[in-house]
Amino acid sequence: MTAIRKVTVLGAGVMGANIAAHVANAGVPVILLDIVPKDGANRNAIAEGAIDRLLKADPAPLMHRANARLITPGNTEDHLALLGDCDWIIEAVIERLDIKQSLYRKIDAVRKPGSIVASNTSTIPLATLIEGMPDAFARDFLITHFFNPPRYMRLLELVAGPQTRRDAAEAVRVFADVALGKTVVDCKDTPGFIGNRIGIFWLQCSVVEAMNRGLAIEEADAAIGRPAGIPKTGVFGLLDMVGLDLMPHVLGSMAASLPQSDPFHAVFREPTLIRKMVADGYTGRKGKGGFYRLEMRDGRRVKQALDLKTGEYRDAIKPKLKSVTSGGRDLRTLLSHSDRGGRYAWAVISQTLSYAASLVPEIADDIVAVDTAMRLGYNWRYGPFELIDKIGAGWFAERLRAEGRPVPKLLAMAGERRFYRIEAGRTRYLGVDGVYRDIPRVPGVLLLSDIKLRGEPIVRNGAASLWDIGDGVACLEFHSKMNSLDPRSLAMIRKAIEIVPRRHKALVIYNEGRNFSVGANIGLLLYTAMFRAWFIVRALVRKGQETYKQLKHAPFPVVGAPSGMALGGGCEVLLHCSAVQAHAESYVGLVEAGVGIIPAWGGCKEMLLRWSASVKRPGGPIPPVAKAFETIGMAAIAKSAAEAKDLLFFRPNDGITMNRDRLLADAKAKALALVENYAPPAAQRISLPGESGRIALRLAIDGLRRLGKATPHDAVVGEALAGVLSGGETDITATLGEDDLLALERGGFMTLVRHPATRARIGHMLRTGKPLRN
């Protein structure tokens, strides 16, 4: 099997450049080539400009700015010979067959034998792309369809032709899975593959039905949003994000590629309104606006929505549909409702689910591929067949029959059965032959959701559970709302520390929620502060400190395995672990200063200890204090696991896993590797500057305030933080232990939590989800 050690991307447009960036995120060198510009002396200007834009883009395509150094820019006239060193060559040029095939002939002349060539096309069939190409080229050719943006969208659709070497497809599949973090879905060589075949139909159907039925776009987005597990952007918000100017091209391509018998043609049309919007520059978020826009009014941003009847903008409304309020999360209730929201939801969802059911096995071998593609490619919470299970396959088929509409063969075959069922502790799916089969897991994937199907937790409460994940390793799972931490979470950490030595060798802290933990439950903090129950607040702070200290000094290795947000108290959990194995998309930070408090469960202590021991710091007692103050005081958030190492939230030897589904297995392996001769860390003592350090930090705070970069309460928080980090009343001749540092944390925290401005910040955050600058 071909080992992929170097990659070329041809085409430095938005998609090509972002694919190159993500290959660089995997630590693999990549060559980025584009045409020579017509004007200018720099023949590499297009590729070099693309790299410059990668460094400025937000959200960032690069997980670390240093990754840009792995991208070598060039042009297709001077540098095609560089392809001779590459193992995977990805074409991402304009969707024109003549241009692609001309480029393929040039690639074939310089590539090394056995190198893999792939197209990122989303519209042109593989069989068409390789027409007239040599057999050796066809054997090495496939389609790898990335979804935009490649760093953040986990789906990769892979299409192999009848001539494609199996080991070529397997090499790309393994590299995309392990190195790029993709879930690879095998697709048939059909127009739009899986995601766009169904997704474009769904979007088009949603727009046309809303126009036909006279719904406001806010009503349409509400009606097929939450109950169906559609992203909160809704259909019209999603179209704004994608770009309305892309829709005519995509729709036209699908219309030209699909047979006239395909149901797509029944909903295909390009509304005059959308044509006018694109012509006038209203292309969505990247233009003047789209179906939604933000208008500045009296110094504030006002959300506006497009009236589909008049084509004019008006202030957005909060839709009031009985179908949505009564349906809640019950999709069948929504679809059965008689108001315009219910009728609209039924029209769109019934057509979409029916269409999806009619396409298996034409576009994929099984329903799992279809559901996976829609969840990961369009961010649906549930795939089409999972949605059918929610409403009932029998009920759905019967209603289609009652309306005189055809029932897809696969749906009819299911009858009253579910498409997925749990059997003997395993999730099984209904095959096209009517037989249930286990959902396969590729080697190296371990999911807590699978473990849960096969047994009960060792111990559980309302906020956390402890599971046996095999080989003498236990897993502590947080499962409160957003995995926020409260006294129950702390109790379960202590319980795990008590239980693990009896039955296990190591502990992994992990969950499969969207976030590892958003930190302490600030609602609980606000509630106690409002009643001035300071003894409760003080006890909670002390209990958290004691719990995290026990975690750090446990007699067995503890590996934190975050994914998503690990903020505040969640970050402090990781700071007290023996090691971390993080998903690449981990967003980590001590953000307490944003709500007017400071970390108090050991976060200040650990950042001081880490910066004091860091080989990167200058000498003397002030630099560690200054670095910790900068990180905590500015509520710095690492926007990737790689950035978390720069900020010392993670250690240099902590691991990073690109594929979310491999995280638990990797963390378990790391924990087991630490077991032999494991000894908890010794207690540390450090010297801090005392009053001289506090004065230096106070000068910095005053400077920020004079520049307007710090509010009055920011200065109060900064002053308290400076007192903690500089060591309080200590001086450079003394050393402070961990308990001394924790006592300073408690004192600084209690001072701030009593402040009225802090309580105002916390209340505002709870009400609006946004920080208050006071």
Side-chain angles (χ1 to χ4, degrees):
M1 185 172 69
T2 304
I4 297 175
R5 299 187 180 91
K6 193 171 185 179
V7 175
T8 288
V9 178
L10 294 152
V14 172
M15 199 66 190
N18 276 259
I19 292 171
H22 198 51
V23 172
N25 288 335
V28 175
V30 55
I31 298 164
L32 179 63
L33 305 182
D34 209 300
I35 60 173
V36 175
K38 294 179 181 178
D39 303 313
N42 184 358
R43 295 171 65 82
N44 301 335
I46 295 177
E48 290 177 4
I51 296 171
D52 289 342
R53 287 189 292 275
L54 291 175
L55 289 164
K56 298 172 184 175
D58 185 20
L62 294 163
M63 292 179 174
H64 195 286
R65 291 181 64 84
N67 294 345
R69 294 199 291 265
L70 289 168
I71 308 174
T72 301
N75 67 76
T76 54
E77 292 183 19
D78 303 329
H79 302 116
L80 274 181
L82 296 176
L83 274 61
D85 294 330
C86 293
D87 307 299
W88 184 16
I89 301 162
I90 305 170
E91 168 268 302
V93 302
I94 189 171
E95 292 286 83
R96 275 182 49 184
L97 181 61
D98 59 333
I99 292 176
K100 289 179 184 289
Q101 290 192 327
S102 174
L103 184 58
Y104 295 161
R105 284 187 282 273
K106 294 175 183 177
I107 292 170
D108 203 33
V110 297
R111 73 186 184 98
K112 66 183 179 182
S115 60
I116 302 164
V117 184
S119 175
N120 185 55
T121 183
S122 60
T123 58
I124 305 175
L126 183 148
T128 303
L129 290 172
I130 61 171
E131 282 178 358
M133 295 300 298
D135 288 346
F137 183 88
R139 286 194 293 272
D140 294 334
F141 186 85
L142 40 76
I143 289 173
T144 49
H145 180 218
F146 290 81
F147 277 66
N148 195 30
R151 171 182 167 180
Y152 301 98
M153 299 300 286
R154 289 180 56 193
L155 178 64
L156 179 75
E157 293 183 320
L158 189 149
V159 181
Q163 295 174 267
T164 306
R165 290 185 290 117
R166 285 190 179 183
D167 58 335
E170 185 61 18
V172 170
R173 186 180 290 108
V174 170
F175 182 81
D177 170 0
V178 178
L180 300 182
K182 299 298 179 186
T183 297
V184 181
V185 172
D186 291 297
C187 309
K188 303 287 186 69
D189 190 18
T190 57
F193 313 128
I194 298 175
N196 284 345
R197 180 74 174 271
I198 297 170
I200 291 168
F201 178 92
W202 163 66
L203 291 170
Q204 179 68 3
C205 186
S206 300
V207 172
V208 170
E209 289 289 348
M211 289 181 167
N212 289 346
R213 296 169 183 272
L215 264 76
I217 62 173
E218 303 97 318
E219 292 178 325
D221 283 343
I224 56 171
R226 183 179 177 186
I230 302 302
K232 62 181 181 181
T233 57
V235 169
F236 291 94
L238 176 60
L239 286 169
D240 281 352
M241 194 162 56
V242 170
L244 302 186
D245 53 326
L246 296 180
M247 290 306 293
H249 168 75
V250 171
L251 291 170
S253 176
M254 292 295 287
S257 303
L258 294 170
Q260 284 300 314
S261 58
D262 193 277
F264 173 80
H265 292 284
V267 299
F268 170 61
R269 78 170 198 245
E270 186 187 347
T272 304
L273 174 60
I274 295 179
R275 280 201 301 271
K276 184 177 186 306
M277 290 172 68
V278 172
D280 293 343
Y282 290 90
T283 55
R285 293 187 184 181
K286 63 185 177 184
K288 301 178 191 176
F291 290 110
Y292 295 100
R293 73 175 183 183
L294 292 173
E295 181 183 69
M296 291 303 297
R297 190 184 302 163
D298 299 327
R300 63 188 182 93
R301 295 191 299 177
V302 177
K303 185 176 182 180
Q304 292 193 308
L306 191 75
D307 189 306
L308 296 178
K309 294 178 182 176
T310 66
E312 301 295 328
Y313 285 101
R314 52 164 175 75
D315 288 356
I317 60 170
K318 187 173 182 179
K320 296 179 180 179
L321 295 168
K322 289 183 178 180
S323 53
V324 174
T325 54
S326 64
R329 293 186 181 274
D330 188 331
L331 183 57
R332 192 198 284 195
T333 299
L334 170 67
L335 299 181
S336 301
H337 204 282
S338 60
D339 76 356
R340 64 181 182 276
R343 294 194 302 271
Y344 170 75
W346 167 251
V348 174
I349 292 174
S350 67
Q351 289 182 76
T352 302
L353 299 185
S354 179
Y355 188 54
S358 73
L359 293 175
V360 180
E362 176 192 341
I363 62 173
D365 287 331
D366 54 58
I367 65 171
V368 178
V370 172
D371 282 346
T372 302
M374 295 312 297
R375 285 198 312 271
L376 300 184
Y378 277 78
N379 282 329
W380 289 13
R381 186 172 182 181
Y382 312 102
F385 294 94
E386 292 168 316
L387 286 172
I388 293 174
D389 276 350
K390 288 178 74 68
I391 62 176
W395 178 87
F396 183 39
E398 186 55 39
R399 185 162 175 184
L400 291 176
R401 290 190 191 97
E403 294 180 359
R405 295 161 61 185
V407 176
K409 181 180 177 181
L410 187 59
L411 182 62
M413 181 197 66
E416 295 295 332
R417 293 183 294 174
R418 296 177 60 84
F419 280 102
Y420 295 94
R421 71 182 185 189
I422 308 300
E423 189 174 15
R426 296 182 182 276
T427 303
R428 314 194 81 200
Y429 71 94
L430 185 64
V432 294
D433 57 358
V435 176
Y436 283 99
R437 293 177 174 81
D438 289 346
I439 295 179
R441 300 291 185 213
V442 297
V445 169
L446 177 64
L447 299 180
L448 191 57
S449 56
D450 287 346
I451 292 169
K452 290 178 179 181
L453 295 176
R454 297 194 285 270
E456 295 295 322
I458 300 168
V459 62
R460 172 189 176 93
N461 66 25
S465 299
L466 188 67
W467 299 87
D468 187 330
I469 59 174
D471 301 310
V473 181
C475 177
L476 176 62
E477 174 201 22
F478 301 135
H479 47 66
S480 58
K481 184 177 181 181
M482 297 187 75
N483 295 327
S484 61
L485 304 172
D486 60 25
R488 299 170 302 169
S489 315
L490 300 178
M492 189 55 66
I493 293 173
R494 295 193 300 276
K495 193 71 175 176
I497 294 169
E498 174 191 333
I499 290 174
V500 168
R502 300 182 202 155
R503 314 181 191 178
H504 300 84
K505 298 180 283 189
L507 176 68
V508 170
I509 304 179
Y510 163 93
N511 64 74
E512 288 168 3
R514 293 191 175 185
N515 299 301
F516 177 76
S517 171
V518 296
N521 185 334
I522 61 171
L524 178 62
L525 176 62
L526 178 64
Y527 182 80
T528 52
M530 292 293 285
F531 286 96
R532 290 175 167 75
W534 307 125
F535 70 98
I536 296 177
V537 177
R538 190 178 296 107
L540 180 59
V541 171
R542 186 180 288 276
K543 184 61 70 175
Q545 290 183 340
E546 292 171 351
T547 301
Y548 283 25
K549 182 180 176 182
Q550 290 176 43
L551 188 69
K552 179 178 179 178
H553 297 286
F556 50 84
V558 179
V559 174
S563 179
M565 291 189 288
L567 304 178
C571 176
E572 288 173 300
V573 168
L574 300 175
L575 290 172
H576 289 80
C577 289
S578 315
V580 169
Q581 183 71 35
H583 182 218
E585 296 297 350
S586 293
Y587 313 107
V588 188
L590 295 169
V591 297
E592 288 86 348
V595 290
I597 52 178
I598 61 173
W601 284 349
C604 295
K605 163 183 69 80
E606 288 300 311
M607 293 310 294
L608 279 173
L609 294 174
R610 291 191 179 201
W611 279 111
S612 295
S614 173
V615 297
K616 297 190 293 184
R617 78 169 182 89
I622 296 290
V625 174
K627 293 298 292 186
F629 182 82
E630 179 185 352
T631 301
I632 299 171
M634 300 301 289
I637 297 178
K639 295 182 180 178
S640 69
E643 287 188 2
K645 291 191 174 188
D646 287 350
L647 295 171
L648 300 197
F649 294 136
F650 298 162
R651 304 175 184 88
N653 59 346
D654 284 335
I656 297 176
T657 297
M658 291 292 281
N659 193 319
R660 178 71 172 81
D661 291 345
R662 294 180 174 273
L663 180 58
L664 181 56
D666 288 352
K668 177 182 172 182
K670 181 176 277 290
L672 288 171
L674 293 172
V675 166
E676 189 173 356
N677 299 321
Y678 178 77
Q684 296 171 263
R685 299 188 70 84
I686 58 172
S687 295
L688 293 173
E691 184 62 20
S692 62
R694 182 187 294 196
I695 292 171
L697 295 177
R698 185 182 295 139
L699 290 172
I701 296 166
D702 290 342
L704 289 171
R705 187 170 179 185
R706 282 196 301 272
L707 291 170
K709 295 182 178 180
T711 68
H713 193 56
D714 289 337
V716 172
V717 176
E719 178 71 26
L721 180 61
V724 171
L725 297 178
S726 60
E729 301 302 320
T730 191
D731 61 58
I732 194 60
T733 63
T735 61
L736 299 179
E738 294 187 30
D739 287 342
D740 301 317
L741 298 176
L742 290 174
L744 288 168
E745 277 189 12
R746 284 197 304 276
F749 180 89
M750 291 305 301
T751 296
L752 288 171
V753 80
R754 287 185 171 98
H755 199 291
T758 295
R759 298 200 297 276
R761 280 194 180 188
I762 295 173
H764 186 268
M765 176 68 78
L766 288 171
R767 289 192 303 274
T768 68
K770 299 176 182 178
L772 173 66
R773 304 293 293 165
N774 59 343

